[in-house]
Amino acid sequence: MHSVMTELQTVDWAVSDAPVPYPEAVAFMEARARAIREGTARELVWLLEHPPLYTAGTSAKAEDLREPGRFPVFEAGRGGQYTYHGPGQRVVYVMLDVAARGRDVRAFVQALEAWIIGALAEFNVDGEIREGRVGVWVDRTQPGGPPREDKIAAIGIRLKRWVSFHGISLNVEPELEHFGGITPCGISDPRYGVTSLVDLGLPVGLAEADSALRAAFETVFASATRSVPAPEFGARPAPHSSSVQSAGAP
């Protein structure tokens, strides 16, 4: 696995133990991204879980929300369409200075993909990229059976003045049936489903997934990481809605 980004300063690495409400997470990311732009905070990778919810990216279509009353639905402001977040899924929010990393959004998304693929390789899972379908996929085709591919990780980012937020979600052991309330990423073709590490028969927990993600991040992004306390929530910062760019799809 080769580094695809320029070597930079140490990146903060935080893990939240309890599920984080979505609005609080977004408000924190916006505030941290602003501080990174202003040079008053380090870059941060934040690992967490959310309570069950759906988020709508900037390309989401109303008809892809199949069960609007099932879980709370949030407008995410990131690239992409509808996705599900919930317990057992490792959500990783990346607040990184993309300007310092080359000002290349495509290369940044490719680095995120390489990061997930590298982490999956720690469990002998072959993650793959597919043209026209953002995210990381696993070939589930059985001998003699029809082609089938399942998504194991989603990518959806947003940039403000070249600082990223939102990020990736890796299915470790979520309730896969919860994806049934949406058309994930707008893909209704039955050949394309959703899977997880546990669904693949791997007894992997969040802590093991976290270790694999951290090692792969340090390699792909050529950045050391240092553990810091996870965010604590009191008064919520006022959100900022302007966006320069968004990319990806859940």
Side-chain angles (χ1 to χ4, degrees):
M1 184 168 54
H2 299 289
S3 168
V4 295
M5 303 297 282
T6 304
E7 185 171 0
L8 294 166
Q9 68 174 358
T10 300
V11 175
D12 287 351
W13 188 274
V15 181
S16 290
D17 295 327
V20 178
Y22 190 76
E24 278 79 352
V26 173
F28 174 85
M29 285 192 288
E30 294 226 3
R32 181 66 174 236
R34 184 169 59 249
I36 292 169
R37 288 195 303 271
E38 295 169 351
T40 59
R42 288 180 181 265
E43 296 176 301
L44 172 67
V45 175
W46 179 23
L47 290 74
L48 67 145
E49 294 174 278
H50 284 305
L53 57 91
Y54 298 127
T55 65
T58 53
S59 301
K61 300 176 182 178
E63 61 267 26
D64 287 336
L65 182 59
R66 297 175 176 176
E67 300 179 30
R70 186 172 188 181
F71 297 127
V73 180
F74 297 93
E75 298 291 332
R78 52 153 175 78
Q81 301 185 44
Y82 279 105
T83 195
Y84 164 77
H85 294 311
Q89 181 188 71
R90 178 52 87 206
V91 174
V92 187
Y93 289 139
V94 289
M95 287 143 274
L96 299 176
D97 185 348
V98 180
R101 296 175 181 275
R103 289 182 177 265
D104 187 331
V105 177
R106 180 180 293 274
F108 183 66
V109 172
Q110 290 173 341
L112 296 175
E113 293 169 341
W115 175 19
I116 299 168
I117 290 170
L120 290 173
E122 294 294 318
F123 306 107
N124 295 315
V125 173
D126 293 326
E128 300 178 341
I129 304 304
R130 292 291 181 261
E131 185 69 28
R133 288 187 274 127
V134 178
V136 177
W137 298 78
V138 177
D139 189 345
R140 305 293 301 279
T141 303
Q142 298 298 316
R148 178 185 169 189
E149 294 177 348
D150 289 347
K151 177 177 277 193
I152 194 167
I155 299 172
I157 64 167
R158 183 174 175 182
L159 300 183
K160 281 188 177 180
R161 292 172 55 193
W162 292 104
V163 176
S164 70
F165 54 111
H166 297 285
I168 70 174
S169 56
L170 172 64
N171 294 332
V172 179
E173 193 179 8
E175 177 52 70
L176 295 179
E177 193 274 332
H178 288 175
F179 284 89
I182 57 172
T183 302
C185 302
I187 300 174
S188 58
D189 190 320
R191 294 176 298 173
Y192 308 129
V194 181
T195 191
S196 68
L197 289 169
V198 169
D199 184 54
L200 293 174
L202 299 168
V204 177
L206 287 175
E208 294 170 288
D210 292 351
S211 294
L213 285 164
R214 189 166 187 169
F217 176 88
E218 291 181 341
T219 298
V220 171
F221 286 87
S223 299
T225 60
R226 66 167 189 171
S227 297
V228 299
E232 296 182 0
F233 300 102
R236 186 186 305 173
H240 296 263
S241 59
S242 61
S243 175
V244 176
Q245 300 179 62
S246 60

